[in-house]
Every structure is written in C-alpha cells, then in structure tokens.
Amino acid sequence: MKISQNIAISENGFLFNPSTGDSFSTNNTGKVLIRLLQEGKSQDEILGYMEANFDTDRASIEKDLTDFMYMLGNYRILLADT
C-alpha cells in the first residue's frame, strides 16, 4: 500500500487531500507513520521503526498500525498497490 502522492501534510500533522477537498489532522505518531508510508516503507519496516522509537510493545504497534492504515484507506489517503 502507498500514500496518494497528492496528499499534503504539514509539520503540525494537518493533512489535505486535494482530490476530495478533505482535510484531517493527526497526532505526532500519525504524522510519523504517514511520512514513513510516503517514503515507501513496507509494513514490516514501519513496525520495526515504531518498535525501536516508541515505548510500547509490538502487538500494540501492529494493532494500531492496522487500524490507522484501515482509516487512511477509508479516507482515500492510502491506496492499494496496483
């Protein structure tokens, strides 16, 4: 999966999707996840990064990442690989 290329994200975590006109805000963790997705990181790479840089267990990271990616897909920010 990858982030739609036209998604803009500010340093404050404000996202804008010009395709739909929708805007969203996210916390610092969400901002980090979106940046990693924009860099083309795989889900395993993101899990490893989050586990190394955030003080939580892998099971929680996996659940939260799955939930976050599902939400991004619903808002047409995250696109399925074609």
Side-chain angles (χ1 to χ4, degrees):
M1 304 195 91
K2 61 183 177 178
I3 291 285
S4 176
Q5 290 193 5
N6 58 351
I7 297 298
I9 184 167
S10 74
E11 289 300 316
N12 297 338
F14 181 79
L15 284 86
F16 178 68
N17 185 346
S19 298
T20 63
D22 294 330
S23 59
F24 311 92
S25 60
T26 187
N27 62 18
N28 186 57
T29 304
K31 186 175 73 170
V32 169
L33 290 171
I34 290 170
R35 295 274 188 220
L36 292 169
L37 288 165
Q38 285 177 322
E39 293 172 9
K41 302 291 186 201
S42 70
Q43 189 165 346
D44 285 338
E45 290 172 316
I46 293 171
L47 286 170
Y49 177 89
M50 300 303 285
E51 193 172 23
N53 292 283
F54 289 84
D55 186 27
T56 191
D57 62 283
R58 186 167 182 96
S60 295
I61 295 169
E62 287 175 347
K63 182 192 177 306
D64 291 347
L65 179 59
T66 299
D67 292 346
F68 190 69
M69 291 177 71
Y70 179 78
M71 182 197 66
L72 292 176
N74 281 341
Y75 290 120
R76 294 188 286 173
I77 295 171
L78 189 65
L79 306 173
D81 290 330
T82 55

